[in-house]
Structures are given as structure tokens and as C-alpha cells.
Amino acid sequence: MAIPENCPLCKASAAKQAVVTSHVYGSDENFSRAFFHCESCDVRYQFPSLTPDEEARFYTAEFESFMANRAGSAGGWQKAEEHIVANELTRQRRMKYIERHLKEGASILEVGCSSGFMLLPFSESGYSCAGVEPSGVFSEFVKGKGLKIYDSLDNLIKSRPNELFDLILHFFVLEHIAQPVDFLKRQLSLLKPGGKIIFEIPNANDPLYSVYDIPAFEHFYWSVAHPWYFSEISTHYLLKKLGLPYELIREQRYDFSNHMVWARDGKPGGMGRFTKTLGEDFEESYKQVLIKTGYCDTLVGIVTKK
Ligand SMILES: [Zn+2]
């Protein structure tokens, strides 16, 4: 197994780097990859890293089928309409922290807008919206609804030079980006003064891994499509590099039912399975406990441009 010479985020020495797992979901079995943990900045990262070609492949058609396999047929990844319905609760959860950052008539850019389930309701409410989506199936669908969608940030900038946004959103994108600091800096350059970047990432302290330590989850979690897994500590490290005010919020996406199905069957897809029996209140308090203790599955970053 190849060993990194230093941490790709904080440059700490090889002595601070330890293997987390060599089970890399979706990886070519003939190619030896692993995830490492940096004791210094607490980031987890894939090594050897993906080549630019490999990285690009995960942003196009391959990514969709990959996600469909992961989410199971109920995820509705293949069809944009189903995807929108399947993600309505996610959208509502996100709106709770996005709403207070929305100014009337704000211009919104979402990087990785998928089926448009976040952007389309914004557009219907009168916000000016643009999206970046490399997946052909989804971008055609959202374009069909009248939104301006570009296959890359480069092409958006080429088509709309000098345009600045009030809000830039991305959800579960940053962990796919080889150079996350550059990625965020580039978005800052596309923001108006006082504008904000709001993003979600998986938390490396996911309870299925850090509390319950479910072997089937470990095999599933560490994905070849992710160069990085950030914890709260490593996200603070990353965001401090921008030198701007920011907030970091804990969120919990998956419920107790999902966790029970992981524990019982070693599979995803259990969301809501036992909610009728246990009650919404129970599911909500379970999520709140995970958020309070920090063993939650999601982190939200909010960065403000001066
Ligand atoms: Zn480090």
C-alpha cells in the first residue's frame, strides 16, 4: 500500500497519517486505494488521490448510476420528477437554516443542482436562479423548466462574465472536489459583498460509524467518489483558511429507522420504516441527541464575504 508523505490539507508529516480503511466503495479492485486520517487537522482523505480523469468521470453519467445503486430504487435518482418528490423533506430541512440568509430578489447559484429540487421552488418564488450541473439527464430537465443551467462553473463564468450572486449553494459537492480551498475561493469571487456560500457535507463523525461501528456501513461509507471526509475539526481548519467570518452547524439527515435497518440488515433505505410505530417526536428527539452530542451525519457551513 502506498503511504502519503504528508497530509494533503495541512501538510503534517507522514508520522501523523494513519490508515482508516482500505475498503474503498466503488474502487477498481486491481487498484490499491485507502483512506487515511491526519492526526493534526483531523481530515480523512483518499490516497492515492483520483486522477483528474477519474474525478471527471464521477461528475457525469457514471455518478448518477453510482448514486442510484447507493440509494436503492426508492431514491428515485433516475427520474428527475421522482427525485424532486423524494427530496422534498430534505429541501424543507435545509430551508430552516437558509431562510434567514435570503434577501428579497436575491440571486442564487447552486453548484451541483441535480434535479433542481432546491432551485425550482426558489425560482417559482421570484428569486433569480442559475445552476451548475454536469449530469446530462438532470440539467436537461431543469433547463426544460426555464432555468439557466451550465455544465461547469467555467462555462457559467464564460456565459455571464462579471455577474455576481447573493447566495451560492452546494450540497454534498465539496467532499468530491480535489482542491476544496480553491473551489471555495472561486465561489467567493462570484459573490457580491455580504454574499454567502452555504454548503452541506457529510460529517466524518456519522454515528453509524463513530458510535455503532456497523461493519456493513463501513464498507459502504468510504466512497471512491470522495477525496475527503471532513469532521467538525477539519472543517474549521478548512474554513479558517478563507480568513472570513463563518458558521458551522450540525445537522442529522437520517433517522432512527434508517439506523435500525443498517444494524439489522446492513443496508441503507430504512428511512421512516418504524416512524409510525415510534412516532415523529421520538425520531425528532433522536436526531436532536445526535446533533447535541456531535455524533451527527451532516455539517452545514455558512461563509460570509466581507
Ligand atoms: Zn492534516
Side-chain angles (χ1 to χ4, degrees), residues 6-13 16-17 37-45 228 234 237:
N6 52 32
C7 168
L9 186 65
C10 77
K11 307 298 171 203
S13 70
K16 302 273 187 191
Q17 315 303 314
H37 173 233
C38 172
E39 214 179 274
S40 188
C41 71
D42 200 41
V43 79
R44 278 93 172 156
Y45 58 93
W228 309 98
S234 49
Y237 182 89

